[in-house]
Each structure stands twice: as structure tokens, then as C-alpha cells.
């Protein structure tokens, strides 16, 4: 297939996906009408229709603080393919109750606080959940680690209380755990994850403007300490299990900050590099979430836990995507799956960036054409470099180089040009 034919197929896929979603997502409908876009005939056409990542936290925080859940339904519905008229919020008292009410009606909302504390909420369907889980297994298979019940599985990621996170954890345990798998941590899990994030945002804001009451700060710090103590209990439980099975194969599932802390716990017990000899594996995604770790934190983890590159499924993704871009073990870059159309924009996010040969640098944007519960076009906060040619490993397709960085971490103004306009669309629909 020629490059021209491939690009024609991509544009056709984008247009078909756009035609379906523009009839379903109110904010996309309004944006397309205002821009006069009725058809996608080039990559340039899709750029004005992409939603900045901040759109999913564009609700007024007062709606949560005052318990205005019907208005939160209208806000989320403006960004969703299915209306939220079937969501009963009559008994909802906090944000976790709102999430539970949404899920009861089949709206599988995912949330992330990033580093700001204000939660972003994205509506997902059951189909989105299933696509996401299958993609994880496909990524393992691409790495040469198909599901095989030959591992002890240690999930040491944070307990978020989110259904999708729990589903992915359970999928890994079910797909890879041996029959005599080590016991999982069965201690208490922290409650009220979304309420905690909302409180975090409120306390940070009050501290910044000098209105935080000492009692409120002390109460929040006590809750944070309790959550940290529960995480320490979990890590110590798994340290016990590792030491009891130091020569058996273990598959770790974790974000890096929690895994690095596990390495510290093992060191505190006198464990040295080379003491753990099992043929161990790791799956991880996401960045450091504002955590400060040593420059060589990954190398320290690999050495202590005996993890080789060919047994490490690292991926680049975000909650706006169903699909992951798995990291090439040979070249250290991230492979973009066919279901994702990758766009590299200028810093302002209002035009495609210019390529220099096969390389193009700028703001990452994506259209995940499998996203069902929302419009799958997203402008991220990430600065990336993309190789438009074939990866030296021999696999076809574009690859994202590993030098991914948040624009906000560069000290730049991370302003996306259309963000204010998109927020105005949302406010107009919600009535704020």
C-alpha cells in the first residue's frame, strides 16, 4: 500500500468517525457548526475540532462544593455521546456518590487529578472499557509476553477506587497469575477517592489565597497521612512476599513512584541489587505525577527487582485514550497503534506543526477512533517529538520519541488557543 493510499484511508476513517460523533456530542456539534466544518478531507480539518484536555475539567468547582449534581450531569452530558437523563442523583451527597450513580446507569466515568487537584471527568461506555482491556493484552502480546498463568502478580499502584483501574488490575491478575499465586494485600482501602481530590483542590486553593483555616489544614493533613500509612502497609506486605519468593517469577503492575518506594522499603530491610533473582516483569504507564525521584530511578528499579527491557511493558497513554502506545524494547520509542491518529500541533494547538525531514516536534494531539462514550479528539499538555518514518526495529508506523515533557514543566504558559472558546460552549449548554 502506498503512502498516499494510507493517508487517504486515515482521512476516510477520521471523516466517518466525525460524522457519527457530531450528531451525538453537543459541544462537538456546536464547534463544527461555528467552524462551518461538515466533512473531514484533510488532517488540517480536524484541528479546530479537537478538545483541549482542560475541557474535561471545565465545570465550576462550586457545583461540586454545593452538591449541584443535576448541573454536573448537564455539564458531563454536553461532552458525551449519550444523555444523562437516566442518572438518578436524588440521594447523592458527594462526588463519589455522583460517580456511583453515573456508573449504575452505565456511564463509566474516569477521573484524574493530574497535579492540580481539580478532577477531570470523562464519560466512558462499557465498550470503551472492553477496548481498553483488550488493548492492554495486545500490548503484552506485541512485547512477546502473551497472557500466561506463570507469574506471581504484585499490583502496587495507588488505590483510586475507580472502576476502570480496578478492572485493569483484575485483568492482569486473572490473565497472568499462577495457581499458587502469592496472597494479595487485603488490608483496608482508603475511601472517598474523588471526595479526597476535591478536598485537595479546595485546600490548595485556600492556602494559596490565604483563607485556609488551621483546623481545615490539620484535618486534611491527617487524612493524607492516613492514606500514606495504608500505602506503606501495602508495600510492606508485598516486600514480605518478594523476600519469601525472591527466586520466583513476579510480574509487577505499578506506576513508578509507588514502585520506587517499594525498592526503598526493600533496601531498608537490607536487600541489595542481585538478591532478587526471579525472571521478573513490569507493566507501567504514566509519569511521575509531580513526584521528585532521582534521575536514575528507573535503573534502580530494574536492578533491584531484576527486570530486563524485554520484560517491561511501558506505554504512553492518557485517560482520554482507549489505546496505549507501547514502548519499543529495542529502540525506546513508543509505537502508535492504527486506531489512534496522531497529530503534532504547534504550541498554541491551533495548527499542525511543520516537520523537518521525518521528525516533527510540538504539542501532542490524538483522535482515538475507538472512543465511544465521547468525542475521541484531544489536545494534550505534552510536548513530543515524532518520527514519521519506520522504527529501526522494523515495525511500521509513526513513533513517539521518549523525550516527552509537559509544557507546564518547562515553565512556559501552557495555554491552548481554543480552550476558552470550548469552555464557553460548555457554559452555554450547561447554563452557567
Amino acid at each position: 500500500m502506498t503512502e498516499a493510499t494510507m493517508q487517504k484511508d486515515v482521512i476516510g476513517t477520521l471523516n466517518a468517525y466525525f460524522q457519527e460523533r457530531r450528531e451525538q456530542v453537543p459541544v462537538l456539534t456546536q464547534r463544527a457548526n461555528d467552524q462551518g466544518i461538515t466533512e473531514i478531507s484533510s488532517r488540517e480539518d480536524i484541528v479546530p475540532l479537537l478538545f483541549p484536555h482542560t475541557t474535561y475539567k471545565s465545570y465550576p468547582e462550586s457545583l461540586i462544593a454545593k452538591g449541584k449534581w443535576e448541573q454536573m450531569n448537564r455539564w458531563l452530558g454536553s461532552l458525551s455521546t449519550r444523555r444523562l437523563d437516566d442518572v438518578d442523583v436524588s440521594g447523592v451527597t458527594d462526588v463519589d456518590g455522583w460517580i456511583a450513580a453515573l456508573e449504575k446507569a452505565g456511564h463509566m466515568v474516569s477521573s484524574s487529578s493530574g497535579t492540580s487537584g481539580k478532577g477531570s471527568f470523562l464519560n466512558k461506555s462499557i465498550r470503551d472499557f472492553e477496548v481498553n482491556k483488550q488493548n492492554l493484552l495486545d500490548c503484552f502480546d506485541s512485547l512477546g509476553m502473551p497472557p500466561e498463568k506463570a507469574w506471581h502478580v504484585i499490583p502496587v499502584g495507588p488505590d483510586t477506587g475507580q472502576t476502570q483501574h480496578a478492572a485493569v488490575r483484575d485483568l492482569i491478575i486473572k490473565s497472568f497469575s499462577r495457581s499458587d499465586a502469592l496472597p494479595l494485600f487485603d488490608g483496608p482501602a482508603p475511601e472517598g477517592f474523588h471526595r479526597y481530590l476535591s478536598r485537595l483542590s479546595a485546600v490548595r486553593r485556600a492556602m494559596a489565597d490565604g483563607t485556609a483555616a488551621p483546623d481545615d489544614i490539620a484535618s486534611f493533613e491527617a487524612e493524607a497521612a492516613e492514606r500514606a500509612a495504608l500505602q506503606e502497609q501495602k508495600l510492606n506486605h508485598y516486600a514480605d512476599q518478594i523476600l519469601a519468593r525472591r527466586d520466583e517469577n513476579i510480574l509487577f503492575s505499578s506506576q513508578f513512584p509507588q514502585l520506587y518506594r517499594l525498592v526503598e522499603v526493600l533496601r531498608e530491610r537490607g536487600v541489595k541489587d542481585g538478591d532478587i533473582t526471579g525472571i521478573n516483569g513490569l507493566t507501567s504507564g504514566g509519569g511521575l505525577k509531580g513526584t521528585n525521584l532521582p534521575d536514575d530511578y528507573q535503573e534502580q528499579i530494574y536492578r533491584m527487582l531484576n527486570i530486563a527491557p524485554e520484560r517491561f511493558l511501558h506505554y504512553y497513554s492518557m485517560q482520554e485514550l482507549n489505546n496505549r502506545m507501547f514502548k519499543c524494547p529495542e529502540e525506546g520509542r513508543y509505537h502508535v497503534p492504527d486506531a489512534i491518529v496522531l497529530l503534532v500541533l504547534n504550541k498554541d494547538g491551533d495548527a499542525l506543526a511543520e516537520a523537518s525531514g521525518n521528525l516533527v516536534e510540538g504539542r501532542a494531539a490524538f483522535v482515538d477512533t475507538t472512543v465511544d462514550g465521547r468525542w475521541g479528539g484531544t489536545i494534550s499538555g505534552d510536548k513530543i517529538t515524532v518520527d514519521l518514518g519506520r522504527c529501526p526495529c522494523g515495525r511500521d508506523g509513526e513513533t513517539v520519541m521518549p523525550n516527552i515533557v509537559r509544557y507546564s514543566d518547562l515553565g512556559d504558559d501552557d495555554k491552548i488557543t481554543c480552550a476558552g472558546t470550548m469552555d464557553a460552549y460548555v457554559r452555554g449548554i450547561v447554563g452557567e
Side-chain angles (χ1 to χ4, degrees):
M1 184 181 295
T2 66
E3 178 67 22
T5 301
M6 291 175 62
Q7 288 301 316
K8 184 177 180 181
D9 287 347
V10 168
I11 299 305
T13 299
L14 280 175
N15 185 53
Y17 182 62
F18 164 67
Q19 297 300 339
E20 182 178 13
R21 292 292 172 265
R22 70 184 294 234
E23 300 298 326
Q24 299 170 326
V25 181
V27 172
L28 178 62
T29 301
Q30 186 166 349
R31 180 64 171 173
N33 290 343
D34 285 357
Q35 293 291 311
I37 299 174
T38 59
E39 184 176 5
I40 305 301
S41 57
S42 68
R43 286 175 177 253
E44 285 80 2
D45 290 342
I46 205 74
V47 174
L49 303 175
L50 302 173
F51 289 6
H53 63 99
T54 54
T55 302
Y56 295 102
K57 57 175 66 177
S58 60
Y59 58 90
E61 288 187 275
S62 61
L63 296 185
I64 289 180
K66 297 178 181 179
K68 295 183 177 298
W69 307 115
E70 290 185 357
Q71 284 180 268
M72 285 297 293
N73 282 352
R74 289 200 296 274
W75 169 79
L76 187 62
S78 74
L79 299 167
S80 304
T81 57
R82 185 159 65 91
R83 304 289 72 77
L84 276 69
D85 300 335
D86 54 346
V87 180
D88 179 8
V89 295
S90 57
V92 173
T93 59
D94 61 21
V95 67
D96 292 281
W98 178 58
I99 297 294
L102 289 164
E103 291 191 355
K104 185 177 181 180
H107 302 277
M108 312 306 291
V109 174
S110 89
S111 172
S112 172
S113 66
T115 56
S116 69
K118 184 180 182 182
S120 57
F121 300 103
L122 294 87
N123 203 353
K124 298 187 178 185
S125 66
I126 298 296
R127 177 183 166 190
D128 287 323
F129 267 40
E130 295 306 315
V131 170
N132 179 271
K133 290 192 294 183
Q134 183 58 51
N135 171 255
L136 178 62
L137 297 180
D138 292 344
C139 286
F140 271 115
D141 193 58
S142 297
L143 192 65
M145 290 177 60
E148 183 180 5
K149 296 181 180 295
W151 306 79
H152 295 292
V153 175
I154 294 184
V156 293
D159 286 313
T160 66
Q162 293 197 49
T163 301
Q164 180 170 349
H165 292 173
V168 169
R169 178 201 62 207
D170 293 346
L171 175 68
I172 295 172
I173 293 170
K174 177 182 177 181
S175 301
F176 291 92
S177 286
R178 50 195 277 178
S179 59
D180 61 342
L182 60 80
L184 300 174
F185 179 68
D186 62 356
E191 298 180 354
F193 173 74
H194 298 94
R195 174 196 55 76
Y196 177 75
L197 292 184
S198 295
R199 192 177 179 197
L200 171 64
S201 176
V203 169
R204 283 177 171 170
R205 188 169 59 252
M207 291 177 68
D209 62 23
T211 61
D215 287 348
D216 290 339
I217 296 175
S219 175
F220 179 78
E221 289 178 343
E223 182 177 359
E226 181 179 350
R227 288 174 175 268
L230 287 172
Q231 178 67 7
E232 285 291 294
Q233 288 182 30
K234 177 196 289 189
L235 295 177
N236 277 279
H237 166 81
Y238 285 125
D240 290 339
Q241 303 306 318
I242 293 168
L243 295 178
R245 300 166 175 81
R246 65 178 69 202
D247 61 345
E248 299 179 21
N249 299 350
I250 299 173
L251 176 60
F252 295 90
S253 174
S254 176
Q255 294 179 344
F256 281 119
Q258 292 79 25
L259 203 61
Y260 183 77
R261 178 58 193 147
L262 177 61
V263 168
E264 289 183 323
V265 170
L266 289 167
R267 285 205 190 100
E268 291 165 4
R269 296 183 177 209
V271 182
K272 298 180 176 59
D273 294 347
D275 288 351
I276 297 170
T277 58
I279 308 303
N280 300 330
L282 166 64
T283 175
S284 180
L288 299 182
K289 301 298 183 184
T291 305
N292 292 319
L293 297 181
D295 291 341
D296 66 341
Y297 70 93
Q298 292 191 27
E299 289 74 17
Q300 291 189 47
I301 291 170
Y302 305 154
R303 291 195 304 268
M304 172 63 79
L305 301 180
N306 194 34
I307 296 168
E310 63 271 17
R311 299 190 302 274
F312 175 30
L313 172 57
H314 191 202
Y315 50 85
Y316 173 45
S317 191
M318 53 198 68
Q319 69 165 353
E320 290 85 355
L321 304 176
N322 285 342
N323 291 275
R324 301 161 181 83
M325 292 157 268
F326 77 90
K327 191 171 187 177
C328 178
E330 296 92 350
E331 300 297 328
R333 51 177 72 185
Y334 299 92
H335 286 269
V336 182
D338 292 340
I340 292 178
V341 179
L342 171 62
L343 303 158
V344 184
L345 310 181
N346 60 12
K347 181 177 178 295
D348 293 335
D350 58 3
L352 295 173
E354 293 186 12
S356 176
N358 277 338
L359 296 180
V360 57
E361 180 179 273
R363 186 181 290 274
F366 308 93
V367 181
D368 186 333
T369 57
T370 69
V371 171
D372 178 58
R374 312 173 317 284
W375 166 235
T378 302
I379 304 175
S380 80
D382 293 344
K383 182 179 182 181
I384 62 171
T385 303
V386 174
D387 187 340
L388 303 174
R390 174 180 289 188
C391 179
C393 78
R395 295 183 180 91
D396 290 328
E398 302 164 326
T399 50
V400 179
M401 307 304 281
N403 60 333
I404 302 167
V405 63
R406 301 286 290 182
Y407 274 102
S408 57
D409 291 339
L410 296 173
D412 294 341
D413 179 15
D414 185 22
K415 183 178 180 181
I416 300 173
T417 297
C418 66
T421 301
M422 303 304 288
D423 290 356
Y425 290 145
V426 175
R427 289 194 300 271
I429 293 172
V430 173
E432 283 290 317

